[in-house]
Amino acid sequence: MHELQLAHAPKSHWQSYNICPEVMRRFLLLYATQRGQAKAIAEEISEQAVAHGFSADLHCVSESEKYDLKTESAPLVVVVSTTGTGDPPDTARKFVKEIQDKTLPADFFAHLRYGLLGLGDSEYTYFCNGGKIIDKRLQELGAQHFYETGHADDCVGLELVVEPWITGLWAALTKHFQTSGEEMSEALPRPSNASATAHPGKLEHIESQVELLRLDDPVRKDAEVLEEHDVNGSQSGDLTADLESSLVHSAPPLSQASLSIPALPPDYLEAHLQSSPGQEESQASVASVDSVFQVPISKAVRLTASDAVKITLLLELDISKIEFSYQPGDSFSVICPNSASEVQNLLQRLQLADKQECRVTVKVRADTKKKGATLPQHVPDGCSLQFLLTWCLEIRALPKKAFLRALVDCTSDAAERRRLQELCSKQGAADYNRFIRDAGACLLDLLFAFPSCQPPLSLLLQHLPKLQPRPYSCASSSLFHPDKLHFVFNVVEFPSVLRKGVCTGWLASLAAPLLQPDLEAPCGDSGVDLAPRISISPRATNSFRLPDDPSVPIIMVGPGTGVAPFLGFLQHREKLQEQHPHGNFGAMWLFFGCRHKDRDYLFRDIPQGEEEAPAKYVQDNLRLHSQQVCRILLQENGSIYVCGDAKNMARDVNDTLVEIMSREAGVDRLEAMKTLASLKQERRYLQDIWS
């Protein structure tokens, strides 16, 4: 294997392009993030801006004291993620509330020119809705686009839209500044896969902040060897097989291509290990909410048969000793750790196993080139290295291309460096999707695949996101089960890599001792509660709740574990009927699907009067009862709730509702879709879905 001849980008873009600060053109760059994606993309835009002759004034949209859109004269760029079932992220709640003020005049933002990049997942009904809400309202208040809105889809890979959108942004900004004071062209600049248009004058040689790697034909001789074998009529098949793509090596044409890879992200953290033990650590310290409670698991039940495709568990938590109130339909978060074995493997691979009890101190590098660099909020000061990797960092996170680019410079083997360069390059996008994204690869996979890669701890702190609490639906009613909280989940398994889900695998291991028949939580000889404990926190109140008026009929659609919140609904209504025997209570229809009635028919004792097993797909049962469904929704002003998988089920249910409404109401498909849209607007069609 030949050494790669790389033409690296200059260390200083200022020196290379002779840009003076006076000619830098400022734009306001805001981001609204839930889990850090929008922030990372905004930071990438900010870092690339300098090489294009721009200066980005970067802020989280929640930092309203640092910017003022009412008086802003510079162009605005906004990156917005979506959370829940179509809501703006928590950091944007106040901003959205303010701009949705009905008293604002229609020309309130008439002076603003903006471009917006929305992030979402097309597996959800309200794709990129966080960005769409802000985009629509800005236009209603008179703001105008200087650049066409982009919608990036996490289902297929955000980078497929993000990268060309950013590339096209520079030409759009250039055009905006050129036409300032003149009437804007009606045709908006569109995102482009090509490089941005060259700037005039002093800036005409400025290119994207991308290192163009010109390889000195490192695989040409390999190709020549192949040709020789073809001529000699021997071994060509074996060599071709060897060159099939995998995580660790590529095949032509990628293996022979010159690569365009991202610029090296600037280092901005220093991490030091001190031999003194880390300070006392608490799981509550890693949560971003105030109320965190440790509660015992009082009961565990396996709901599926031993030969079922999935393991489904119900856990009961004892909340009698804490102030934790909930309504049916609410959800809560479980604060979970990374797998202990994976943490140990990572420590050993980083050659830090003997340092796991050391205290970690982190600070921002004094010489960093990263603008506005700050310490990660999810890294507690002075904790042990083991605690940091166990409770704070998402070590299973999908490595982004910027992380791969940083790992290149930590890799000594030339072939391994080349492969990492390919995986983060534009030319290697298909391989990145196939071997990283679609395969669910994580940092540990990369470190074992590329043995010469030895990243420092500081790099992990810069690129690994916060280990997020996992949300679960409450599967009980506090009226029916006082002082108890139930929840249901499938144990997620990844057979190809012999891993379980971070949280569900951990919960299953905790529950294992309680899964014996009729076994309650154990106590020691002295009566001390020995039940396993977990940390939970309440989630913001949502709208996925029973109607205030109990006479309203409801339809519940919940295949598999999607039935969880509806258990609470049924229990709650049952208790209310006991308390008010003469009250008026609406009908409750539960549509539930399962693969095999003898293996995974969950809670089969709960649907009263069920004469036959549920259909495999809930939409089949909906069609079977289409007249009753339409009567409840269209004539009786009832509500419909859908809970479960967003990837297929939620979309199929929506399509089925359109189909049966069109047929039963005698209207065309478009009119049926409008009817469903109005139900959503009235909050009578509610979803609690996940991917």
Side-chain angles (χ1 to χ4, degrees), residues 342-613:
E342 289 177 40
V343 170
Q344 285 304 310
N345 287 340
L346 185 56
L347 284 166
Q348 291 173 5
R349 178 60 182 79
L350 296 173
Q351 301 177 11
L352 293 173
D354 59 337
K355 304 279 199 310
Q356 59 186 353
E357 299 301 328
C358 288
R359 178 185 175 196
V360 181
T361 59
V362 185
K363 66 179 181 179
V364 175
R365 293 174 61 108
D367 61 347
T368 183
K369 299 289 195 302
K370 183 178 177 67
K371 186 177 180 181
T374 58
L375 292 175
Q377 295 182 352
H378 57 278
V379 177
D381 184 45
C383 69
S384 71
L385 177 58
Q386 184 177 37
F387 183 85
L388 179 68
L389 295 179
T390 302
W391 293 97
C392 305
L393 303 179
E394 188 92 59
I395 63 174
R396 286 260 196 99
L398 191 76
K400 297 178 183 176
K401 290 186 178 181
F403 195 5
L404 296 180
R405 174 62 187 89
L407 291 176
V408 169
D409 284 26
C410 305
T411 305
S412 57
D413 180 82
E416 293 177 12
R417 285 173 60 91
R418 164 72 195 198
R419 184 54 176 153
L420 287 170
Q421 289 163 349
E422 290 172 348
L423 290 169
C424 69
S425 70
K426 288 184 178 179
Q427 293 77 9
D431 275 23
Y432 174 85
N433 286 336
R434 180 181 175 189
F435 300 115
I436 303 290
R437 179 183 175 79
D438 296 343
C442 64
L443 172 63
L444 203 53
D445 298 320
L446 293 179
L447 293 180
F448 282 116
F450 301 99
S452 74
C453 182
Q454 196 66 32
L457 176 61
S458 60
L459 197 68
L460 273 60
L461 299 182
Q462 290 169 186
H463 290 276
L464 290 178
K466 169 184 168 63
L467 178 57
Q468 296 285 346
R470 270 42 174 185
Y472 292 93
S473 297
C474 301
S476 54
S477 164
S478 57
L479 292 181
F480 201 91
H481 293 286
D483 297 330
K484 304 294 184 184
L485 171 60
H486 292 183
F487 67 107
V488 179
F489 60 91
N490 291 325
V491 180
V492 179
E493 299 195 53
F494 305 99
S496 62
V497 288
L498 299 178
R499 288 182 187 138
K500 289 183 169 65
V502 172
C503 191
T504 61
W506 173 65
L507 289 172
S509 66
L510 291 179
L514 303 178
L515 289 175
Q516 304 302 321
D518 303 320
L519 184 63
E520 296 292 334
C523 291
D525 295 337
S526 60
V528 177
D529 185 4
L530 300 179
R533 306 175 80 86
I534 65 173
S535 293
I536 64 172
S537 62
R539 302 191 81 211
T541 302
N542 60 45
S543 59
F544 199 81
R545 287 182 171 179
L546 282 166
D548 294 333
D549 180 358
S551 68
V552 174
I554 65 171
I555 297 168
M556 301 166 286
V557 183
T561 57
V563 75
F566 303 135
L567 300 175
F569 281 19
L570 294 167
Q571 293 169 2
H572 202 73
R573 279 273 177 98
E574 182 179 335
K575 276 297 177 182
L576 287 178
Q577 285 180 289
E578 287 180 10
Q579 296 170 0
H580 306 279
H582 302 296
N584 182 16
F585 292 90
M588 303 180 76
W589 287 70
L590 175 61
F591 291 90
F592 175 72
C594 66
R595 288 184 175 87
H596 308 283
K597 66 178 182 179
D598 55 341
R599 298 179 191 174
D600 53 11
Y601 187 174
L602 310 183
F603 305 104
R604 64 188 308 156
D605 56 322
I606 291 196
Q608 298 298 318
E610 184 78 36
E611 295 182 358
E612 57 184 273

Side-chain angles (χ1 to χ4, degrees), residues 191-400:
S192 169
N193 287 311
S195 299
T197 304
H199 301 165
K202 291 184 178 180
L203 305 181
E204 66 182 10
H205 297 298
I206 298 179
E207 297 176 349
S208 173
Q209 188 177 352
V210 171
E211 296 176 2
L212 295 178
L213 303 187
R214 300 303 178 193
L215 308 183
D216 189 20
D217 294 327
V219 293
R220 179 174 295 169
K221 291 195 176 181
D222 289 339
E224 290 170 358
V225 170
L226 276 176
E227 286 182 12
E228 283 183 15
H229 283 291
D230 285 339
V231 170
N232 296 332
S234 63
Q235 297 185 7
S236 60
D238 293 337
L239 281 172
T240 302
D242 289 342
L243 288 179
E244 288 182 1
S245 294
S246 70
L247 175 61
V248 295
H249 63 77
S250 61
L254 179 59
S255 61
Q256 300 172 355
S258 294
L259 303 176
S260 297
I261 69 172
L264 180 66
D267 281 336
Y268 67 96
L269 293 179
E270 288 182 10
H272 300 281
L273 297 175
Q274 300 181 352
S275 56
S276 57
Q279 63 188 26
E280 185 176 346
E281 295 146 350
S282 166
Q283 296 168 23
S285 68
V286 305
S288 55
V289 293
D290 295 330
S291 303
V292 176
F293 305 99
Q294 269 216 340
V295 293
I297 301 174
S298 52
K299 187 178 180 181
V301 180
R302 176 164 178 163
L303 302 175
T304 48
S306 59
D307 57 348
V309 175
K310 297 179 180 179
I311 298 173
T312 304
L313 302 180
L314 178 146
L315 298 190
E316 179 184 83
L317 305 179
D318 183 349
I319 57 173
S320 60
K321 305 276 187 0
I322 63 172
E323 294 292 327
F324 191 99
S325 61
Y326 68 94
Q327 294 289 324
D330 285 353
S331 58
F332 65 99
S333 294
V334 173
I335 300 169
C336 61
N338 289 307
S339 158
S341 61
E342 289 177 40
V343 170
Q344 285 304 310
N345 287 340
L346 185 56
L347 284 166
Q348 291 173 5
R349 178 60 182 79
L350 296 173
Q351 301 177 11
L352 293 173
D354 59 337
K355 304 279 199 310
Q356 59 186 353
E357 299 301 328
C358 288
R359 178 185 175 196
V360 181
T361 59
V362 185
K363 66 179 181 179
V364 175
R365 293 174 61 108
D367 61 347
T368 183
K369 299 289 195 302
K370 183 178 177 67
K371 186 177 180 181
T374 58
L375 292 175
Q377 295 182 352
H378 57 278
V379 177
D381 184 45
C383 69
S384 71
L385 177 58
Q386 184 177 37
F387 183 85
L388 179 68
L389 295 179
T390 302
W391 293 97
C392 305
L393 303 179
E394 188 92 59
I395 63 174
R396 286 260 196 99
L398 191 76
K400 297 178 183 176

